[in-house]
Amino acid sequence: MQKTAMWNSWINETLLEDIQSEQTADPVPFFDIVDGEPETSDELGSYKWGKNDGEYLYMVYLLAEPVEDAGDITPVYIGESSDISSRIGQHSYKIRQSLPVSEWEDNGSWGSFSKYDHMAAIYEQATSPLYVWILDVDELEHGPYGYETYRQELEAKLVGLVHSQD
């Protein structure tokens, strides 16, 4: 099966179902604006509550409205964690520390710009909010590329996936 078709099928069966279901909180915004600054949203705080034990897949994404199909979801970052509450909190903190992007300084070393800088740049330039989706890996039959595990696979393939978007 073509990778794009696999991705679209997986998104339709997982995240898109959660977004369209009234039984889930999705989509859950990553940030609220408080006194002009981004803060972790109250919805995200409630959403991740109690998800400390176990393995979780999570995705930071943009969402085009109205949501009709997998093409309306643009992944920004995908990861897996056994301590999802702390991990999402760390992402929130580091993205906010990377803002505004106009104040970035390159120290000239390899990798001086981080994945958090990447996410902050997308957040700052996007016309829609960043959202977070969390899923217990025990609820999955397979990952987006058909494999049982994807901890390293998805992070490695994310660059290619983003470049394949229109």
Side-chain angles (χ1 to χ4, degrees), residues 45-141:
S46 298
Y47 182 64
K48 67 181 183 155
W49 182 256
K51 295 180 179 178
N52 296 331
D53 296 327
E55 294 291 322
Y56 293 91
L57 169 76
Y58 64 96
M59 183 186 320
V60 177
Y61 64 97
L62 296 170
L63 189 62
E65 299 281 350
V67 181
E68 296 176 3
D69 58 33
D72 296 323
I73 296 166
T74 302
V76 174
Y77 186 81
I78 302 169
E80 185 178 322
S81 178
S82 58
D83 187 356
I84 194 67
S85 187
S86 293
R87 186 73 172 142
I88 296 296
Q90 177 187 37
H91 283 347
S92 175
Y93 173 78
K94 290 193 173 191
I95 291 169
R96 289 180 286 122
Q97 294 304 303
S98 294
L99 294 170
V101 298
S102 61
E103 294 180 10
W104 287 354
E105 293 183 21
D106 181 6
N107 67 10
S109 68
W110 166 246
S112 68
F113 294 111
S114 74
K115 65 185 174 190
Y116 300 107
D117 295 331
H118 165 79
M119 290 188 275
I122 290 171
Y123 169 75
E124 195 171 82
Q125 296 177 30
T127 57
S128 65
L130 283 180
Y131 294 98
V132 178
W133 176 61
I134 301 170
L135 182 66
D136 188 325
V137 296
D138 290 336
E139 296 178 23
L140 288 176
E141 293 179 24

